[in-house]
Amino acid sequence: MPVTVLLVDDEPLVRAGLRAVLEAQPDIEVVGEAADGAAVIPLVRRLRPDVVAMDVRMPLLDGIEATRALLRTVDDPPRILVVTTFENDEYVYEALRAGADGFLLKRARPAEIVHAVRLIAEGDSLLFPASVRQLAAEYGDEGGNRAARAAMERAQLTEREAEVLRLMARGLSNAEIAGRLVVGTETVKSHVSAVLAKLGARDRTQAVIAAYESGFVAPG
């Protein structure tokens, strides 16, 4: 089955460019488009895409609020890929904190766009880990840090789960973590699932954001 994608951007040329790149791939299908975040929820409910590629800045409802609304109101929500002009942008970090799974630069090359959609759909590793570290270092706030520290303490990760989380924060995939720890991939998947459950994180990105904001992993 192909990965299905909903495109949400107020610029028609951006949507057309993304559609052309993605639909050239046999394993990706663009199932719909929207010009504003306000249209996301009804389209997601009707089309059930695997991934929403969503502009972070839109005139009526931006990508941050659209992400929050989508995750709050839709059962089994799709993966959310924020599309942005600038990678070191507070809006991007707020979108990740709101629950987005990763981000994509509008100037990205076609191969990078395709890779980002596939990676987000699979959820196996962190997209642009160095940029996420930089965003966490620059825009993480003290209030969020206190809450994240408390959540990390409550999680009571085992030593191996903590090790897996640190490697996740570096952007390693399950296979790469397995190689580093000399264990099977299925064992790593079990550890990752346990980390997500204990932290109450929707996915790897949210777990890594929590790790940075709690001080468990230094973002610098």
Side-chain angles (χ1 to χ4, degrees), residues 19-35:
R19 177 182 281 275
V21 168
L22 295 175
E23 290 200 328
Q25 305 302 312
D27 60 332
I28 300 176
E29 178 185 1
V30 176
V31 294
E33 296 184 17

Side-chain angles (χ1 to χ4, degrees), residues 176-199:
E176 290 167 335
I177 294 173
R180 184 68 59 86
L181 300 181
V182 195
V183 297
T185 303
E186 291 303 317
T187 299
V188 173
K189 288 181 180 179
S190 296
H191 289 314
V192 171
S193 295
V195 169
L196 299 186
K198 288 184 176 182
L199 292 177

Side-chain angles (χ1 to χ4, degrees), residues 3 9 19 33 49 55 62 64 68 73-74 96 98 124 129 135-136 148 156 171 192-195 211 220:
V3 174
D9 196 296
R19 177 182 281 275
E33 296 184 17
D55 189 11
D62 65 29
I64 300 169
R68 290 192 180 112
T73 61
V74 175
L96 294 175
D124 181 34
L135 287 166
Q156 296 185 326
V192 171
S193 295
V195 169

Side-chain angles (χ1 to χ4, degrees), residues 200-220:
R202 159 177 145 87
D203 56 30
R204 299 170 81 99
T205 301
Q206 301 312 306
V208 168
I209 291 290
Y212 289 145
E213 293 212 327
S214 66
F216 180 78
V217 174

Side-chain angles (χ1 to χ4, degrees), residues 46-127:
R46 178 164 62 88
L47 301 173
R48 303 305 301 178
D50 299 310
V51 175
V52 176
M54 182 151 53
D55 189 11
V56 73
R57 300 193 187 200
M58 292 177 284
L60 296 179
L61 190 68
D62 65 29
I64 300 169
E65 292 304 321
T67 294
R68 290 192 180 112
L70 182 59
L71 298 181
R72 184 174 61 246
T73 61
V74 175
D75 294 331
D76 191 21
R79 301 286 182 179
I80 300 172
L81 178 64
V82 170
V83 181
T84 180
T85 303
F86 306 106
E87 62 182 309
N88 297 324
D89 188 335
E90 187 174 6
Y91 279 80
V92 174
Y93 187 64
E94 287 303 316
L96 294 175
R97 292 182 74 184
D101 303 286
F103 67 92
L104 172 70
L105 297 178
K106 290 186 178 182
R107 66 176 183 271
R109 296 189 298 270
E112 294 171 332
I113 294 170
V114 171
H115 173 68
V117 168
R118 287 175 177 152
L119 190 62
I120 289 294
E122 293 168 0
D124 181 34
S125 58
L126 186 66
L127 188 61

Side-chain angles (χ1 to χ4, degrees), residues 103-178:
F103 67 92
L104 172 70
L105 297 178
K106 290 186 178 182
R107 66 176 183 271
R109 296 189 298 270
E112 294 171 332
I113 294 170
V114 171
H115 173 68
V117 168
R118 287 175 177 152
L119 190 62
I120 289 294
E122 293 168 0
D124 181 34
S125 58
L126 186 66
L127 188 61
F128 303 138
S131 294
V132 174
R133 283 197 296 272
Q134 185 173 347
L135 287 166
E138 187 167 357
Y139 298 114
D141 63 80
E142 287 303 316
N145 287 343
R146 285 193 294 271
R149 278 197 296 270
M152 188 63 67
E153 290 172 2
R154 289 194 301 270
Q156 296 185 326
L157 300 180
T158 67
E159 183 176 344
R160 181 46 62 93
E161 289 164 357
E163 193 172 12
V164 167
L165 179 55
R166 291 188 184 96
L167 294 174
M168 287 166 56
R170 294 174 59 183
L172 273 65
S173 68
N174 288 344
E176 290 167 335
I177 294 173

